[in-house]
Amino acid sequence: MKCSQYYPVIMTDDVAISAIFYQQNFRFDVIFESDWYVHLQSREDQTVNLAILNGNHETVPEIARGKV
């Protein structure tokens, strides 16, 4: 098997600040943004993506809620 995408999910209390951190320090661009979720993609490699989401959002199963 060969990996063709990298898409970790980072759960946090402050989605906006976390997204800014990755944009400023690791050259990520915003692909999609809402108040509880941001999809970032590397400017250097489009197969490298990050999901940053509010760890307490209702779409996260209750047992998995929290932050990383």
Side-chain angles (χ1 to χ4, degrees):
M1 180 176 88
K2 178 182 176 188
C3 285
S4 61
Q5 292 279 329
Y6 182 71
Y7 192 62
V9 177
I10 298 170
M11 295 192 296
T12 180
D13 289 333
D14 197 327
V15 173
I17 294 296
S18 297
I20 289 168
F21 173 81
Y22 285 96
Q23 290 172 76
Q24 290 179 348
N25 294 289
F26 298 101
R27 296 188 283 286
F28 279 86
D29 289 325
V30 174
I31 301 301
F32 176 82
E33 183 173 25
S34 70
D35 62 334
W36 66 276
Y37 169 82
V38 175
H39 177 152
L40 300 173
Q41 186 176 66
S42 171
R43 286 184 216 143
E44 298 169 352
D45 184 346
Q46 292 183 346
T47 67
V48 178
N49 296 268
L50 290 176
I52 301 176
L53 64 97
N54 181 322
N56 294 313
H57 193 265
E58 62 194 32
T59 59
V60 178
E62 193 169 334
I63 195 166
R65 290 183 188 163
K67 56 187 168 185
V68 181

